[in-house]
């Protein structure tokens, strides 16, 4: 039985994959996670991404006249499924969107060999900003180091000098949670505050009583949180229970999910989350999605979810990808672009205020631009605050001070390249972050 | 008919004790080896290598290691994932500390470290048995994963806390890391897995294997006939952890390319344990069958769900029909009505699905995943009901029936 099974699957797969039909469309697969432990946070993001592409297909007939096939490949946030999806889609895909940090870690070196752009908006490796080294990886509009820098800036702007203060850094004990540490440590040394990292193990996400006991004992002035999935709801309910002043509690953009805050409602008032996206209900694109996608039954979303931060962020992510596609099409004079051409498109995004208005995204994403050396864009973001029912903007646009850690980006990227030698780089590029 | 043993006379004890007393077994193995060593590498696509061939072999090896401990020596272990991790981290440290080291040697050596740690955690087995021992190995599982997270030296102080496989060369060809071709990785995995399978078969058939089985079946009786239980149990832990450690090194170096500590957490241990149980405890071949079912089948089902059933190319249609017919025939020989029913049911469902596709029916990827999980779960229950001793026993029954076929008894 064994050899039959193997032979049949090998042959069946070979033929099936070899004869995949090539239609006039751009294949931009999304390695989605609507199942598994992180599904609750994944679904609104996936819906937002899918709905924006559906809107482009409905309203404009795709981008540059070519339909977008934004098919999802379900990973359930598991790295094994993620690699399966990557291998399955890479044949015809012009981009890969890996989503989880674990999948990104594995796919990142492969994309450099397979030459497929990897689009990880607002997640992944912070050193991906160095486009010379990570020529196929993009994490615009902002990276985790930008987020850490903006949070510190905001705290300084609110409470004055941080010297002598104590900031607890509550984070998932996982590559994702450790990402901002280098920048936070740099600021702690430079500005004279005490940084207290408090890791939350993957198994303790829902029960953080030990961590919050420590926070109560240490009495930090602020708690900065790098959390994801069940960890956010756990931390927020625990903070309410221990009566930690919510206005001194700030999360990264993945810790700003409406559903997590709705659990505590008014008690969560004052909680903040830095974000490079905002769900502006008055933006034209929101109305168009409602009319041309949702009302036609093409969306899997619902009215309540569409008001949320994560859904809006999903829309912005797809808008960035579509902008990259449009750039590439205009530059190369062809609708049917390939992966290499899309890379050029993503490297030359110039999302000015005018362009944002033109796209109907006003107030939903800050302006930014990328170059061959700058794959993050460093758009900056807004501090969002929970008012008891929804997130509102609590600050003007904050811009990260990239100069402070540009060297760090370069050295970390170089270190990655040496440990993965031989690593193909973009030697021609002269731009910097 | 297919498996007629008439005329195969054994004229010496050696011939009777041979690895394959029945000629057809050796013939069948020959076909499988030709497929594995020649046909697959020539025909498989990169997707097949990365999602079916390589992971099935690696998981089968891990399950084989666990099977030595649990199936042959009767010591229940829930720490397989962590021991795989020991192998992976040991291999990572070796290739980064000694860049001149041959990667295959490093992979084979990494098992030595996990064997040492396995023996250390196996010491409680001298005093405790069964579920109590399972808890002790569970402690190893939690402790080791915690160690992978906290001991930064293990991952060379990377900011991300994950290990990343470097590109390593042998004979001017990349064999690990993203630069390596899938077929190279496959051949290395196949070589290591074949080597260790041969070792395991002979160990379990020999003196040591009989000692393990005696320990498993009744330790007091074994002790009374003069078996040193300490030696028996600790060698089982050592050999088992060695194999598991090597599989862990292959898992990261030949397949994943990168790993964070929580990859080696308890779900991996359970997955390997399920493969061993469903394949059949106390067997070598069962590990492969179990790995095909648990690791390979979800991928195949996903591909089926994404294929237009009625637009399949001729050759894949013929292969699919042949496969269904072969499985159905084997169940028919085994006089297993449930099995025949399941095959027919599967074919009918596929045809209905294909018809629905022509009518414009599409299911989205998340729903496919849910259905996939349900089908795999149902199949696990199904196989355990029709044969509680695992797929290996199912194959043995079928083989016995084939030998005396067409007579029923």
């Amino acid at each position: 039985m064994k050899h039959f099974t193997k032979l049949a699957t090998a042959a069946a797969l070979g033929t099936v994959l070899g004869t995949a039909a090539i239609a006039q469309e751009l294949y931009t697969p999304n390695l989605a996670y609507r199942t598994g432990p992180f599904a609750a946070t994944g679904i609104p993001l996936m819906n937002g991404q899918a709905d924006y592409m559906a809107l482009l297909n409905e309203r404009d007939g795709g981008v540059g006249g070519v339909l977008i096939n934004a098919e999802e490949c379900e990973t359930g946030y598991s790295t094994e499924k993620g690699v399966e999806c990557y291998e399955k889609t890479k044949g015809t895909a012009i981009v890969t969107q890996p989503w989880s940090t674990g999948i990104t870690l594995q796919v990142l070196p492969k994309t450099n060999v397979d030459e497929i752009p990897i689009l990880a908006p607002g997640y992944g490796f912070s050193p991906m900003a160095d486009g010379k080294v990570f020529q196929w990886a993009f994490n615009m509009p902002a990276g985790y180091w930008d987020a850490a820098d903006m949070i510190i800036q905001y705290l300084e702007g609110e409470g004055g000098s941080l010297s002598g203060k104590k900031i607890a850094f509550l984070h998932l004990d996982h590559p994702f949670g450790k990402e901002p540490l280098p920048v936070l440590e740099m600021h702690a040394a430079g500005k004279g505050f005490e940084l207290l990292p408090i890791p939350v193990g993957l198994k303790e996400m829902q029960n953080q009583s030990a961590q919050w006991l420590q926070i109560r004992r240490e009495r930090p002035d602020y708690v900065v949180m790098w959390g994801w999935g069940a960890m956010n709801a756990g931390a927020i309910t625990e903070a309410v229970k221990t009566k930690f002043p919510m206005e001194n509690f700030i999360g990264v953009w993945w810790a700003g999910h409406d559903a997590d805050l709705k659990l505590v409602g008014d008690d969560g008032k004052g909680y903040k989350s830095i974000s490079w996206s905002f769900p502006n209900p008055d933006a034209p694109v929101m109305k168009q999605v409602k009319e041309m996608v949702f009302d036609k039954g093409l969306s899997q979303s619902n009215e309540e979810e569409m008001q949320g931060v994560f859904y809006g962020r999903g829309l912005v992510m797809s808008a960035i990808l579509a902008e990259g596609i449009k750039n590439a099409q205009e530059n190369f004079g062809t609708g049917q672009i390939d992966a290499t051409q899309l890379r050029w498109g993503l490297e030359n995004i110039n999302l000015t205020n005018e362009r944002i208005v033109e796209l109907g995204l006003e107030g939903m994403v800050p302006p930014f631009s990328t170059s061959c050396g700058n794959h993050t864009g460093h758009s900056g973001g807004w501090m969002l605050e929970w008012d008891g029912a929804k997130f509102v903007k609590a600050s003007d646009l904050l811009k990260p001070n990239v100069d402070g850690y540009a060297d760090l980006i370069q050295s970390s990227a170089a270190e990655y390249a040496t440990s993965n030698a031989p690593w193909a780089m973009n030697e021609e590029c002269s731009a910097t972050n | 008919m297919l498996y007629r043993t008439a005329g195969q006379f054994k004229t010496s004890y050696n011939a009777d004790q041979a690895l394959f007393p029945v000629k057809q077994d050796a013939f069948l193995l020959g076909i499988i080896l030709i497929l594995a060593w020649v046909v697959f590498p020539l025909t498989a696509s990169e997707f097949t290598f990365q999602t079916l061939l390589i992971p099935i072999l690696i998981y089968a090896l891990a399950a084989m290691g666990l099977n030595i401990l649990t199936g042959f020596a009767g010591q229940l272990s829930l720490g397989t994932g962590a021991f795989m991790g020991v192998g992976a981290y040991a291999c990572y440290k070796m290739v980064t500390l000694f860049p001149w080291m041959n990667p295959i040697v490093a992979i084979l050596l990494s098992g030595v470290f996990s064997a040492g740690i396995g023996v250390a955690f196996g010491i409680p087995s001298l005093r405790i048995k069964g579920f109590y021992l399972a808890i002790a190995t569970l402690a190893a599982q939690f402790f080791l994963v915690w160690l992978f997270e906290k001991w930064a030296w293990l991952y060379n102080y990377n900011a991300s806390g994950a290990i990343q496989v470097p590109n390593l060369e042998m004979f001017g060809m990349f064999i690990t890391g993203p630069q390596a071709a899938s077929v190279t990785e496959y051949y290395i995995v196949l070589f290591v897995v074949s080597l260790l399978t041969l070792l395991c078969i002979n160990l379990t058939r020999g003196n040591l294997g009989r000692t393990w089985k005696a320990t498993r079946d009744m330790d007091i009786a074994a002790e009374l006939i003069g078996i040193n239980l300490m030696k028996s149990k600790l060698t089982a832990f050592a050999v088992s952890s060695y194999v598991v450690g090597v599989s862990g090194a292959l898992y990261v170096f030949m397949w994943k390319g990168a790993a964070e500590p929580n990859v080696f957490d308890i779900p991996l241990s359970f997955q390997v344990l399920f493969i061993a149980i469903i394949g059949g405890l106390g067997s070598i071949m069962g590990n492969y069958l179990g790995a095909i079912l648990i690791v390979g089948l979800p991928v195949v089902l996903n591909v089926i769900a994404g294929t237009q059933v009625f637009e399949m190319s001729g050759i894949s249609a013929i292969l699919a029909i042949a496969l269904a017919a072969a499985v159905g025939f084997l169940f028919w020989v085994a006089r297993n009505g449930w099995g025949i029913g399941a095959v027919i049911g599967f074919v009918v469902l596929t045809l209905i699905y294909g018809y629905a596709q022509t009518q414009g029916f599409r299911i989205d990827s998340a729903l496919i995943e849910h259905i996939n999980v349900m089908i795999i779960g149902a199949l696990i229950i199904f196989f355990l009901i029709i044969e509680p001793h695992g797929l290996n026993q199912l194959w043995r029954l079928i083989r016995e029936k084939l030998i005396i076929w067409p007579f029923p008894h």
Side-chain angles (χ1 to χ4, degrees):
Chain A
M1 199 175 115
K2 179 177 145 199
H3 62 287
F4 280 126
T5 323
K6 273 193 170 178
L7 173 66
T9 44
L13 288 172
T15 42
V16 165
L17 295 170
T19 56
I22 299 160
Q24 269 292 312
E25 61 175 24
L26 292 168
Y27 184 38
T28 62
N30 194 6
L31 311 192
Y33 53 104
R34 292 173 183 272
T35 64
F38 299 96
T41 33
I43 290 170
L45 287 160
M46 305 306 149
N47 283 341
Q49 281 192 290
D51 287 1
Y52 189 82
M53 289 307 187
L55 173 71
L56 289 183
N57 284 344
E58 283 292 307
R59 189 186 65 193
D60 314 331
V63 181
V66 186
L67 284 177
I68 305 280
N69 176 4
E71 200 179 54
E72 288 178 359
C73 185
E74 179 65 33
T75 68
Y77 217 71
S78 120
T79 47
E80 297 182 11
K81 284 262 157 54
V83 172
E84 182 188 327
C85 281
Y86 172 72
E87 294 291 342
K88 191 153 75 181
T89 54
K90 79 176 183 193
T92 44
I94 56 169
V95 66
T96 186
Q97 304 175 73
W99 271 112
S100 99
T101 312
I103 301 174
T104 313
L105 263 173
Q106 289 188 23
V107 168
L108 182 60
K110 291 188 187 195
T111 52
N112 208 39
V113 178
D114 296 331
E115 311 207 321
I116 295 175
I118 174 171
L119 181 62
Y123 58 92
F125 260 177
S126 304
M128 283 198 310
D130 189 342
K132 275 175 278 185
V133 175
F134 294 97
Q135 48 172 336
W136 295 95
F138 297 87
N139 63 342
M140 62 257 210
Y144 290 136
W145 289 355
D146 298 347
D149 191 71
M150 288 187 283
I151 289 174
I152 297 298
Q153 267 183 43
Y154 176 81
L155 292 180
E156 271 186 323
E158 290 296 292
S161 164
L162 289 174
S163 174
K165 292 197 172 160
K166 194 189 271 184
I167 298 181
F169 175 57
L170 187 73
H171 65 283
L172 198 61
D173 203 0
H174 190 258
F176 151 70
K178 293 177 188 163
E179 269 292 318
L181 266 173
V183 167
L184 288 176
E185 277 164 359
M186 178 189 89
H187 280 314
K191 300 188 192 295
F193 62 84
E194 188 190 340
L195 182 70
L196 182 73
I198 303 179
V200 178
L202 282 170
K203 286 194 262 315
E204 310 161 324
M205 286 199 301
Q206 271 129 317
N207 178 16
Q208 297 171 25
S209 34
Q211 283 81 5
W212 284 90
L213 194 69
Q214 190 185 354
I215 288 173
R216 251 165 58 173
R217 204 172 47 227
E218 298 276 352
R219 297 176 180 280
D221 296 284
Y222 301 102
V223 173
V224 173
M225 172 162 76
W226 240 253
W228 185 225
M231 173 177 162
N232 299 334
I236 288 161
T237 43
E238 203 67 41
V240 169
K241 220 191 292 173
T242 55
K243 304 223 162 33
F244 185 83
M246 284 311 239
E247 60 276 10
N248 295 336
F249 188 12
I250 300 181
V252 68
W253 39 72
W254 303 118
H257 183 34
D258 297 70
D260 292 338
L261 273 304
K262 277 186 184 140
L263 288 176
V264 292
D266 274 344
D267 290 336
K269 222 182 252 184
Y271 173 79
K272 289 180 198 63
S273 158
I274 187 81
S275 175
W276 47 262
S277 73
F278 182 72
N280 181 7
D282 304 323
V285 95
M286 295 288 259
K287 291 198 194 74
Q288 287 169 348
V289 167
K290 176 90 176 56
E291 277 164 27
M292 302 172 83
V293 180
F294 185 75
D295 290 347
K296 283 190 190 167
L298 296 171
S299 170
Q300 296 187 43
S301 189
N302 57 58
E303 298 260 4
E304 192 189 339
E305 181 185 282
M306 289 170 79
Q307 311 295 323
V309 179
F310 277 20
Y311 181 85
R313 189 169 296 157
L315 292 179
V316 171
M317 287 177 175
S318 277
I320 291 172
L321 176 57
E323 190 67 9
I325 294 174
K326 187 198 69 94
N327 284 346
Q329 285 174 334
E330 282 172 2
N331 185 55
F332 296 99
T334 167
Q336 193 77 37
I337 54 165
D338 62 20
T340 319
Q341 290 167 334
L342 178 63
R343 184 188 127 204
W344 188 92
L346 290 170
E347 273 182 351
N348 289 282
I349 285 186
N350 188 11
L351 213 57
T352 56
N353 263 324
E354 296 75 51
R355 182 65 188 150
I356 290 172
V357 172
E358 209 179 307
L359 289 169
L361 290 165
E362 54 246 53
M364 293 182 72
V365 58
F368 72 95
S369 64
T370 55
S371 70
C372 63
N374 175 0
H375 278 195
T376 296
H378 309 293
S379 71
W382 301 284
M383 192 57 82
L384 304 187
E385 184 174 326
W386 181 253
D387 73 351
K390 62 177 189 307
F391 275 103
V392 293
K393 278 183 193 172
S395 78
D396 294 333
L397 185 60
L398 296 162
K399 292 293 263 184
N401 182 15
V402 187
D403 292 341
Y405 47 92
D407 293 342
L408 196 59
I409 292 178
Q410 217 167 22
S411 61
S412 311
E415 198 181 309
Y416 185 94
T418 31
S419 63
N420 281 283
W423 180 265
M425 289 191 232
N426 186 356
E427 308 286 358
E428 297 155 17
C429 178
S430 57
T432 52
N433 271 285
Chain B
M1 179 189 63
L2 291 169
Y3 242 101
R4 191 172 296 161
T5 51
Q8 300 186 22
F9 300 114
K10 309 290 182 302
T11 51
S12 68
Y13 282 113
N14 268 348
D16 202 37
Q17 297 279 310
L19 199 50
F20 302 105
V22 177
K23 238 188 334 196
Q24 284 89 337
D25 281 341
F27 183 66
L28 206 59
L29 182 77
I31 295 179
I32 294 172
L33 285 180
I34 290 173
L35 281 176
W37 282 93
V38 182
V39 179
F40 291 154
L42 288 177
T43 55
S45 64
E46 185 147 0
F47 175 77
T48 319
F49 278 126
Q50 291 294 336
T51 62
L52 287 171
L53 298 174
I54 296 178
I56 284 177
L57 285 174
I58 293 173
Y59 272 107
L61 185 66
M64 199 185 313
L66 176 65
N67 228 325
I68 295 220
L69 186 64
T70 307
F72 285 97
Q75 311 296 311
L76 187 56
S77 166
L78 294 176
T80 323
F83 292 129
M84 285 174 80
V86 174
Y89 277 89
C91 195
Y92 178 72
K93 281 313 286 186
M94 273 191 282
V95 299
T96 48
L97 284 178
F98 316 113
W100 40 266
M101 192 183 251
N102 182 311
I104 296 181
V105 173
I107 286 172
L108 288 174
L109 272 182
S110 58
V112 175
F113 293 88
S114 59
I117 297 202
V119 170
F121 280 99
I123 290 173
S125 73
L126 305 177
R127 302 289 298 256
I128 52 179
K129 288 193 277 197
F131 291 124
Y132 299 93
L133 179 63
I135 298 300
T137 54
L138 201 60
Q141 168 74 55
F142 289 133
F143 170 72
L144 289 170
V145 171
W146 174 83
L147 196 71
F148 300 153
E149 268 167 23
K150 298 294 169 201
W151 192 8
W153 178 77
L154 281 178
Y155 49 85
N156 288 351
Y157 306 96
N158 277 343
S160 64
I163 53 174
Q164 196 99 33
V165 176
N167 292 299
L168 296 174
E169 273 180 304
M170 204 169 99
F171 308 128
M173 195 164 57
F174 285 110
I175 63 163
T176 66
Q179 299 277 354
S182 292
V183 62
T184 326
E185 292 177 321
Y186 171 72
Y187 268 122
I188 291 168
V189 172
L190 189 61
F191 167 72
V192 174
V193 172
S194 308
L195 191 74
L196 289 181
T197 307
L198 197 66
L199 179 85
C200 287
I201 291 176
N202 284 311
L203 272 182
T204 52
R205 273 159 42 93
N207 191 22
L208 198 55
R210 285 198 293 276
T211 324
W212 291 339
K213 286 179 205 161
T215 314
R216 170 192 67 189
D217 290 342
M218 195 174 178
D219 52 353
I220 295 177
E223 206 169 6
L224 282 175
I225 57 167
I227 287 171
N228 183 346
L229 282 189
M230 182 175 95
K231 206 177 128 199
S232 162
K233 285 178 176 175
L234 291 186
T235 48
F237 265 100
V239 174
S240 156
S241 307
Y242 176 81
V243 176
V244 167
V246 171
S247 80
L250 290 175
Y251 180 76
V252 173
F253 274 70
M254 291 296 147
W255 184 39
K256 290 202 144 227
E260 64 254 34
N262 66 304
V263 164
F264 302 106
D265 218 340
I266 198 147
L268 181 64
S269 299
F270 278 128
Q271 203 178 8
V272 174
L273 185 63
F274 292 157
I275 292 172
I277 290 176
I278 285 158
L281 288 175
S283 75
I284 298 290
M285 190 180 79
N287 301 309
Y288 290 90
L289 299 178
I292 289 172
L293 183 77
I294 299 227
V295 181
L297 197 62
V299 179
V300 175
L301 285 178
N302 252 330
V303 172
I304 293 177
T307 315
Q308 292 288 320
V309 177
F310 288 148
E311 290 170 18
M312 253 194 285
S313 63
I315 181 155
S316 43
I318 290 169
L319 280 170
I321 293 167
L323 175 68
V327 176
F329 170 74
L330 290 179
F331 277 123
W332 181 64
V333 169
R335 288 165 215 286
N336 193 317
W338 289 103
I340 303 171
V343 172
I344 294 173
F346 199 77
V347 171
V348 170
L349 276 179
T350 314
L351 290 178
I352 292 175
Y353 177 63
Y355 175 74
Q357 279 177 331
T358 59
Q359 303 300 307
F361 173 77
R362 278 179 68 92
I363 41 178
D364 64 80
S365 159
L367 188 59
I368 290 176
E369 192 56 38
H370 285 301
I371 294 174
N372 207 337
V373 170
M374 279 153 64
I375 293 179
I376 299 293
L379 275 178
I380 290 172
I381 295 171
F382 168 79
F383 278 114
L384 287 182
I385 287 176
I386 64 166
E387 187 43 70
H389 292 291
L391 295 172
N392 183 58
Q393 177 69 6
L394 189 66
W395 165 246
R396 265 169 55 188
L397 283 179
I398 290 172
R399 181 174 163 275
E400 262 167 40
K401 297 255 168 123
L402 276 173
I403 288 176
I404 55 170
W405 199 68
F407 303 109
H409 300 294

